């Protein structure tokens, strides 16, 4: 989980706003003379690299923007074009309501993950007599235009390499490969300059939840999988809901059904990907988070299917009525046979999960004794909202041999 950057700065007086922004943006646009992404663009033709993708208009797969009224879409297009052209000030032909602008800027930031030159922050002009009506905005850019072109090329190269591996895959397999790749290349960092962008996650390998979710959205859309970014407040459901943080995650359409996925929360430094939040339902996701108000006016598809949940697809899902202890022992045996120190399981009901928690230590002790090991140890994590148990760092040895 993470705190998102402030999306906008308010200035009530026109002259005060101009003065503050002049200092602010001078500092922001100071960049090294020999930026590596500039050199990348200059050398692209000689290296016979792919053609640079040109984002000239809002993509047709921008899930929320395509649901807007024609007037709001037109305003989004003006802002999108201005950002893509790195305009220092984007002027509106008619004054825009402050709250409406805030909504549109939010949607552009999250529904257009290719805008990774834009921080999501902006300053804006208002008339002193009409403080709720905005005349123009000044976006906060994270890159120069030349740097952005190089950054796009870097992102395109990486995603092309990933997608080349998915040529014969169905959408679920593509989705999992991209999920795994993202978690492999990215680590959580909240305060980096590009941590809130797809570029930060994919190329710099450092991002907070914004960056993870935007990168996932950009990559899945390139794989022709309908995807969106959602934002809201999240909490550890083992603690009071009053302890909340801002968070972002994804919803993807796999074979006609929608699923939530959260690469940030599934990026486990101890043993890799736990898949506790890979293709889960509304029922699971609402146990630990609440959507931002900005989505209240949109048609959000229900996510109620479990067919393409990781644990269903891999046979690690224990249904109500099945023998939990026996299936767990079988999972331990498979891990032992495959020399794997990890067992992943998901249970269908809360009562099963409670039963598993109460008996895990006993079952592990019995298994170690049954295998006649002289020593055995393990660590485990529990994800109560998805009822996923990750038993990892399983170590054991016999009297005459170490763990395989």
């Amino acid at each position: 989980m993470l705190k998102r950057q402030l999306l906008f700065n308010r200035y009530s007086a026109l002259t005060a706003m101009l003065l503050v922004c002049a200092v602010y943006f001078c500092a922001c646009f100071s960049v090294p003379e020999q930026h590596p992404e500039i050199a990348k663009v200059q050398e692209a033709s000689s290296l016979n690299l792919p053609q640079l993708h040109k984002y000239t208009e809002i993509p047709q797969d921008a899930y929320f923007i395509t649901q807007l009224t024609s007037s709001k879409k037109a305003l989004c297009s003006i802002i999108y074009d201005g950002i893509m052209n790195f305009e220092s000030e984007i002027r509106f032909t008619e004054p825009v309501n402050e709250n409406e602008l805030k909504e549109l800027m939010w949607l552009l930031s999250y529904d257009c993950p290719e805008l990774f030159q834009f921080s999501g922050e902006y300053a804006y002009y208002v008339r002193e007599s009409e403080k709720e009506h905005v005349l123009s905005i000044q976006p906060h850019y994270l890159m120069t235009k030349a740097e952005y072109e190089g950054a796009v090329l870097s992102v395109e190269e990486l995603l092309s390499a990933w997608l080349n591996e998915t040529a014969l895959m169905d959408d679920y397999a593509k989705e999992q490969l991209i999920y795994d790749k993202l978690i492999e290349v990215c680590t959580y960092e909240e305060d980096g300059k590009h941590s809130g962008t797809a570029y930060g996650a994919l190329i710099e390998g450092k991002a907070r939840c914004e960056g993870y979710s935007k990168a996932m959205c950009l990559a899945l859309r390139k794989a022709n999988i309908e995807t969106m970014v959602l934002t809201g407040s999240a909490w550890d459901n083992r603690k009071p809901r009053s302890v909340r943080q801002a968070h972002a995650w994804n919803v993807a359409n796999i074979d006609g059904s929608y699923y939530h996925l959260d690469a940030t929360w599934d990026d486990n430094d101890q043993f890799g990907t736990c898949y506790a939040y890979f293709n889960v339902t509304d029922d699971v996701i609402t146990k630990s988070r609440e959507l931002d108000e900005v989505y209240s006016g949109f048609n959000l598809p229900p996510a109620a299917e479990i067919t393409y949940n990781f644990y269903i697809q891999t046979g690690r899902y224990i249904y109500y009525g099945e023998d939990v202890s026996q299936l767990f022992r079988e999972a331990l045996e498979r891990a032992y046979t495959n020399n794997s120190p990890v067992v992943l399981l998901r249970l269908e009901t809360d009562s099963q999960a409670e039963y598993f928690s109460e008996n895990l230590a006993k079952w592990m002790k019995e298994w170690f004794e049954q295998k006649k090991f002289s020593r055995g140890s393990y660590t485990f994590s529990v994800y109560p909202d998805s009822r996923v148990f990750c038993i990892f760092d399983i170590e054991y040895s016999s009297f005459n041999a170490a763990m395989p």
Side-chain angles (χ1 to χ4, degrees):
M1 292 185 292
L2 57 109
K3 290 291 287 182
R4 286 189 300 269
Q5 289 181 316
L6 189 65
L7 268 175
F8 57 93
N9 300 314
R10 288 189 174 91
Y11 297 93
S12 58
L14 180 61
T15 53
M17 180 263 181
L18 284 169
L19 177 62
V20 173
C21 281
V23 175
Y24 182 60
F25 286 106
C26 282
C28 289
F29 292 153
S30 175
V31 296
E33 206 168 300
Q34 296 295 328
H35 192 281
E37 298 300 352
I38 298 177
K40 184 177 265 297
V41 172
Q42 292 171 341
E43 297 171 6
S45 58
S46 62
L47 293 174
N48 197 31
L49 295 175
Q51 284 290 316
L52 180 64
H53 186 100
K54 296 290 186 181
Y55 295 104
T56 57
E57 60 183 6
I58 296 173
Q60 294 298 310
D61 52 10
Y63 185 86
F64 296 104
I65 293 176
T66 55
Q67 295 184 42
L68 295 172
T69 63
S70 56
S71 60
K72 287 185 177 182
K73 284 180 188 175
L75 186 54
C76 280
S77 293
I78 291 171
I79 298 169
Y80 185 94
D81 292 345
I83 292 174
M84 280 302 176
N85 288 309
F86 286 79
E87 295 176 11
S88 59
E89 182 179 359
I90 302 171
R91 299 176 181 270
F92 306 130
T93 55
E94 297 289 339
V96 180
N97 177 270
E98 178 186 352
N99 290 329
E100 179 181 322
L101 177 66
K102 179 181 178 181
E103 175 192 28
L104 298 184
M105 294 300 286
W106 188 276
L107 294 175
L108 279 164
S109 180
Y110 288 97
D111 214 11
C112 299
E114 68 277 6
L115 292 176
F116 43 78
Q117 76 275 46
F118 174 50
S119 72
E121 297 179 3
Y122 59 97
Y124 59 83
Y125 288 95
V126 296
R127 290 195 182 101
E128 186 64 31
S129 58
E130 298 178 300
K131 294 182 180 179
E132 293 183 355
H133 292 86
V134 181
L135 304 175
S136 65
I137 62 171
Q138 290 186 329
H140 173 211
Y141 295 107
L142 297 170
M143 305 174 175
T144 65
K145 187 174 184 179
E147 290 168 358
Y148 177 69
E149 290 177 348
V152 170
L153 185 59
S154 296
V155 169
E156 291 287 321
E157 287 177 339
L158 179 65
L159 295 185
S160 292
W162 290 3
L163 295 180
N164 284 341
E165 297 183 37
T166 69
L168 301 177
M169 294 181 178
D170 61 17
D171 282 353
Y172 171 79
K174 290 178 184 178
E175 179 196 28
Q176 185 182 349
L177 181 142
I178 291 170
Y179 200 70
D180 291 343
K181 293 282 190 183
L182 175 59
I183 290 173
E184 179 183 344
V185 302
C186 189
T187 57
Y188 186 87
E189 182 174 302
E190 187 163 339
D191 297 322
K193 180 179 179 181
H194 299 283
S195 289
T197 70
Y199 174 81
L202 295 169
I203 305 304
E204 293 192 341
K206 299 175 183 179
R208 53 183 177 268
C209 64
E210 288 172 279
Y212 276 89
S213 57
K214 290 175 182 177
M216 198 71 203
C217 184
L218 185 64
L220 288 180
R221 285 178 179 177
K222 286 189 176 296
N224 296 316
I225 296 173
E226 182 186 6
T227 312
M228 67 193 83
V229 177
L230 295 180
T231 63
S233 58
W235 57 89
D236 183 336
N237 59 19
R238 293 164 292 190
K239 299 177 182 179
R241 286 196 178 193
S242 58
V243 183
R244 299 186 179 206
Q245 290 181 292
H247 193 51
W249 67 99
N250 298 101
V251 169
N253 182 346
I254 304 299
D255 197 23
S257 296
Y258 291 86
Y259 299 85
H260 294 268
L261 53 153
D262 189 340
T264 310
W265 280 16
D266 261 343
D267 193 351
N268 190 308
D269 292 335
Q270 291 178 289
F271 63 87
T273 309
C274 62
Y275 301 103
Y277 303 97
F278 182 67
N279 288 357
V280 296
T281 63
D282 292 333
D283 287 342
V284 170
I285 219 71
T286 53
K287 290 180 180 178
S288 61
R289 61 200 77 188
E290 188 173 78
L291 279 174
D292 283 323
E293 183 65 25
V294 70
Y295 302 105
S296 61
F298 290 95
N299 176 31
L300 283 174
E305 295 293 326
I306 64 171
T307 303
Y308 288 106
N309 177 262
F310 169 81
Y311 287 87
I312 296 288
Q313 288 289 308
T314 58
R316 294 180 170 96
Y317 191 89
I318 302 179
Y319 292 91
Y320 179 72
E322 292 187 309
D323 188 333
V324 174
S325 61
Q326 178 61 33
L327 291 174
F328 176 56
R329 288 186 177 90
E330 291 175 7
L332 281 171
E333 287 294 334
R334 286 194 298 271
Y336 174 70
T337 301
N338 295 325
N339 293 333
S340 172
V342 177
V343 170
L344 303 176
L345 291 173
R346 183 181 176 195
L347 298 113
E348 184 174 16
T349 68
D350 290 338
S351 60
Q352 285 177 300
E354 184 177 350
Y355 175 66
F356 191 96
S357 295
E358 291 172 351
N359 289 280
L360 175 60
K362 183 185 74 170
W363 292 339
M364 289 298 298
K365 181 175 182 294
E366 290 173 351
W367 186 74
F368 286 138
E369 291 174 350
Q370 175 195 334
K371 303 297 287 186
K372 301 187 184 305
F373 293 132
S374 61
R375 180 185 60 83
S377 63
Y378 64 95
T379 307
F380 72 98
S381 291
V382 183
Y383 298 82
D385 42 4
S386 56
R387 297 181 296 276
V388 165
F389 287 78
C390 303
I391 298 90
F392 55 97
D393 289 340
I394 303 173
E395 296 181 357
Y396 36 79
S397 60
S398 65
F399 287 99
N400 299 313
M403 172 186 171

